[in-house]
Amino acid sequence: MNEYVSEKNGVFPSVCSLDCPDQCGLLITKEDGKIVKVQGDPDHPVTKGNICNKVRHMTERIYDPKRLSFPLKRVGAKGEGNFERISWDEAIETIRMRWSKLIDESGPESILPYSFYGNMGKLNSEGMDRRFFHRLGASLLDRTICSDAGSTGYKYTMGGGFGTDPEETINTKLFIFWGVNAVSTNMHQVAIAEKARKNGAKIVVIDVHKNQTGRWADWFISILPGTDAALALGLMHILFAEELTDNDFLERYTVGHKQLKEHVKQYDPKTVSALTGVPIENIYKLARMYGETSPSFIRIGNGMQHHDNGGMCVRTVACLPALVGQWRIKGGGAIKSNSSILNHNSEALERLDLLEKKDTRIINMNVIGQALLDKDQPIRSLFIYNCNPAIVAPEGNKVRVGLAREDLFTVVHDLFLTETAMYADLVLPATSSYENTDFYTSYWHHFVQIQQPVIEAYGESKSNTDVFRLLAQSFGFEEECFKDSDVEMIHQGLNCNNPHLLGIDYKSLSEKQYIKAKRKSILEERLPTPSGKIELYSEALTIQGFPALPSYMPLVKESEHPFLFIPAPNHNFLNSTFSNNEKHVRLEKVARVHLNETDAFKLGIENGDKVRIWNERGECELLAAVGQNVLPGVVVTQGLWADALGTKYFVNALTPDRIADMGGGATFFSGRVSVEKLSQN
Ligand SMILES: Nc1nc2c(c(=O)[nH]1)N[C@H]1C(S)=C(S)[C@@H](COP(=O)(O)OP(=O)(O)OC[C@H]3O[C@@H](n4cnc5c(=O)[nH]c(N)nc54)[C@H](O)[C@@H]3O)O[C@H]1N2
Ligand SMILES: Nc1nc2c(c(=O)[nH]1)N[C@H]1C(S)=C(S)[C@@H](COP(=O)(O)OP(=O)(O)OC[C@H]3O[C@@H](n4cnc5c(=O)[nH]c(N)nc54)[C@H](O)[C@@H]3O)O[C@H]1N2
Ligand code: SF4
Ligand SMILES: [Mo]
């Protein structure tokens, strides 16, 4: 029995553990030891009682009959999915034996942990796991798949993940949702914007796909993929030329505005229109709207940065609020990510000091396919948790050839027998976050939240922290930190010198469930850029070989395939999570590829036709959605679908594993494909 789990029926506070900016406060109704209902907490100032469809149907996932409840070992060939039940003792002992042998033969760097944020809890995503692998001396993983290109670009301008407090955007008069499908991926920002709209705010969406967010906008601007920096520079051109800039702000709080003014002369509206596909008059209209409306707020999405030029693109867009002085207006500014505001004590949780070899190799998670096929310094074992690389990683066919290697010893810890787990030698059952103790920091709003377990562990499943404690014990690691309880780890993680977190600790969180960080406006604090100011001109960029001023850099033209391919997330899944749960699949129905009607006409494709999309890396088959939702030359899909459906929706079979310009980021949206109609329907 877990001492924190109440035996009583009732309603318990909780927090959504999914990798979503909204990080909702939840209320969980429990009857006879089981969760029967998941709702938004009406008192949570950001959630306000509303949650997405995905999590409202969470019980279907927690009690899905396919959920894993005991450890398994593989009995057939890799990928076939034949497993038999084993005990935890056998599982842990097998890992200890296999890894001890590997360490003797090839050193600990032959072992690679592979994880992401399937669970955003700090302890379960970057706590005991890090301690264990650092002490073991395993290869390090650079976790770059999501937002690193853009975060790095944003940092050159703003010094870190600092943006507007989203709650203040209730006052905003102009919202620009830029490369973000917020209706699906940040619904509470949409709810706030919707309220502001009742007070006269206008909503502009800039995207390559007129999806649910574009349809919701007052004004949708269609743009060619990878050209957002050009549009931003065109806006700057007009803002300077028409004296719509806030010169006092530029003088006081920025570096390089005079050079920038000269530099953007080359980005005249005609040039920019040719690059972006945005009509000249719309570039003028948007620039004037941005120059004349206050407060204005830009929500910078991850879509625009999953490109070859993603870093520079975000760096460039992030300069805009400074030009019009919006950082000093309540409700003005931008958010790419607010993650730096809630920085916790990661040194204490992760214990990098336990890693003996300081030059331990680092593997970028985006090139896991290449890395698994590399014969020089082979990866001989993988431990995968909080992540489903067989579906989510780029160059997916390469990843799967790698995972199928008979000589690779793979352990997968998950709630389900995911596509990745199908390739495992050992599969370990994971608890859901509702069964764990943890704390959470959002990368969008400013609340820290706590999770106390609401229900007992499902079957024999274990949390990530418990699995790594067991492994540490079996390896005989003596350090005290491997004995820390989850509660002790929360104390350690919140014991830090971040002034925003003052007064937030285990005790106060246990009482209040969520606490808002104390935060000054961006301008009251020295920005952690080299100059302490907003850097329109960045010397640091030149050291890395980039232009110091924001610039447009075209995408790599990787092949002659006629279409740019944008395989984005969908509404009812969370990356690949829920893509194996019937309820969510039913809500999403089928995978479609959106193409422009002129392209469709040329290819003889009609709405609803089955089409094949392919390139040198692979192929998939989807149903055509023909219309004007994308520009000619662009095709868009939504969702990372499970194979188990028997479909050929595996979009990452087509995506490149090139690395973006900055931060080692992914380039999911910079690939090219061909499209053809399939004869049978
Ligand atoms: N429902 C749902 N919510 C989610 C997720 C999910 O899978 N489903 N995933 C979560 C995670 S991990 C993340 S990182 C976020 C991601 O959520 P967002 O930040 O919204 O990012 P994406 O959905 O990847 O892409 C956003 C938009 O960018 C567009 N886009 C692609 N290329 C370009 C371009 O070059 N320029 C412009 N202007 N637009 C472009 C796409 O068409 C898409 O509409 O959402 C989180 N929330
Ligand atoms: N084509 C394309 N590919 C993409 C993207 C895209 O837009 N287009 N988006 C990319 C982005 S932004 C991201 S963030 C990645 C996300 O990729 P992943 O991090 O792989 O996200 P999920 O697919 O949600 O898989 C998370 C897994 O963690 C498991 N899990 C949940 N909680 C726990 C736990 O407590 N313990 C353990 N051990 N496991 C747990 C879940 O069951 C699930 O199988 O995908 C990337 N891939
Ligand atoms: S997935 Fe996002 S919107 Fe849905 S409940 Fe979780 S945090 Fe809220
Ligand atoms: Mo992500």
Side-chain angles (χ1 to χ4, degrees), residues 209 565-568 570 588-595 606-611 613 621-626 635-639 641 649 651:
H209 179 208
F565 178 54
I566 316 288
N570 66 4
E588 199 60 40
K589 299 192 183 83
V590 293
R592 292 181 188 279
V593 54
H594 297 264
L595 71 171
E606 287 176 27
N607 206 21
D609 280 350
K610 196 170 189 185
V611 297
I613 319 178
E621 294 176 12
L622 305 98
L623 298 188
V626 176
V635 294
V636 176
T637 63
Q638 291 190 309
W641 298 71
Y649 292 166
V651 290

Side-chain angles (χ1 to χ4, degrees), residues 46 162-172 189 192 297 327 329-335 338 341 444-447 516-517 519-522:
V46 181
F162 302 99
T164 310
D165 175 352
E167 288 179 87
E168 291 184 354
T169 63
I170 191 82
N171 303 310
T172 300
Q189 182 66 72
I192 300 172
F297 165 74
W327 288 116
I329 314 279
K330 210 175 166 132
I335 300 178
N338 271 332
I341 290 161
W444 170 68
H445 63 59
H446 289 353
F447 287 83
K516 189 169 180 175
R519 167 180 189 207
K520 296 182 185 150
S521 98
I522 278 184

Side-chain angles (χ1 to χ4, degrees), residues 392-419:
V392 308
E395 277 261 20
N397 286 328
K398 226 196 254 177
V399 175
R400 292 180 184 204
V401 172
L403 287 173
R405 263 176 46 198
E406 269 302 326
D407 64 323
L408 181 75
F409 174 60
T410 302
V411 183
V412 175
H413 182 215
D414 203 299
L415 288 79
F416 287 91
L417 197 64
T418 59
E419 290 68 16

Side-chain angles (χ1 to χ4, degrees), residues 16 18 20 22-24 26 51-52 54-55 187-188 574:
C16 179
L18 297 174
C20 169
D22 300 51
Q23 199 151 96
C24 291
L26 304 177
I51 55 168
C52 66
K54 306 183 285 293
V55 172
M187 64 173 274
H188 294 85
L574 198 298

Side-chain angles (χ1 to χ4, degrees), residues 283-295:
I283 303 174
Y284 276 110
K285 184 176 156 190
L286 181 62
R288 289 171 187 156
M289 201 184 241
Y290 191 61
E292 289 164 359
T293 318
S294 182

Side-chain angles (χ1 to χ4, degrees), residues 509-567:
L509 278 174
S510 300
E511 282 160 12
K512 299 191 177 124
Q513 180 63 25
Y514 42 80
I515 302 179
K516 189 169 180 175
K518 288 172 200 55
R519 167 180 189 207
K520 296 182 185 150
S521 98
I522 278 184
L523 304 175
E524 287 173 80
E525 296 175 293
R526 189 184 190 276
L527 284 183
T529 53
S531 63
K533 294 184 171 189
I534 298 172
E535 298 207 343
L536 306 175
Y537 180 97
S538 161
E539 198 66 52
L541 270 174
T542 61
I543 296 164
Q544 299 301 319
F546 295 101
L549 290 161
S551 302
Y552 166 66
M553 313 208 155
L555 299 183
V556 174
K557 190 166 183 206
E558 58 168 34
S559 68
E560 293 304 316
H561 290 286
F563 295 99
L564 265 166
F565 178 54
I566 316 288

Side-chain angles (χ1 to χ4, degrees), residues 193-204:
E194 195 54 42
K195 278 199 186 132
R197 172 139 82 173
K198 300 217 163 71
N199 292 323
K202 286 277 170 290
I203 291 157
V204 177

